Amino acid sequence: MTPKEKAQQLYNDAYMRWCHELSHDKNVLTAKNICIYICNEVILEQCKSSELKDPRYQDERLMYWNEVKQEIEKL
């Protein structure tokens, strides 16, 4: 799954599950914040376990999740 597709999937899931404000603008902001939080948690976990993995794989995963965050911010 591309970073853009993953970003859209996370956003859609967050919006549908947790965004129940009256205004669409508030819902968008809430969904984006949830998704960015999720990405940050994944990145943090990757960094904590980096000594156990191949550095090239680690870099690819971190780059992927950072790209997902960038795509979320564009939504």
Side-chain angles (χ1 to χ4, degrees):
M1 183 177 291
T2 69
K4 186 173 185 170
E5 291 169 336
K6 187 63 174 181
Q8 191 66 54
Q9 177 193 29
L10 286 173
Y11 173 81
N12 289 342
D13 289 348
Y15 192 96
M16 296 305 291
R17 290 181 185 178
W18 297 297
C19 298
H20 304 289
E21 295 285 332
L22 297 176
S23 118
H24 174 71
D25 291 338
K26 286 183 182 180
N27 288 339
V28 168
L29 185 58
T30 300
K32 284 184 178 186
N33 286 336
I34 291 167
C35 295
I36 290 171
Y37 172 79
I38 291 168
C39 290
N40 286 337
E41 288 297 309
V42 171
I43 290 168
L44 182 62
E45 284 302 311
Q46 287 291 132
C47 290
K48 285 180 182 177
S49 65
S50 64
E51 66 275 359
L52 304 175
K53 297 181 181 174
D54 178 3
R56 290 171 295 180
Y57 172 77
Q58 189 68 20
D59 289 344
E60 288 174 15
R61 295 286 296 164
L62 291 174
M63 206 163 43
Y64 174 81
W65 283 103
N66 279 312
E67 287 179 36
V68 171
K69 276 178 47 176
Q70 290 172 0
E71 291 296 333
I72 290 167
E73 290 169 358
K74 293 178 189 177
L75 295 174

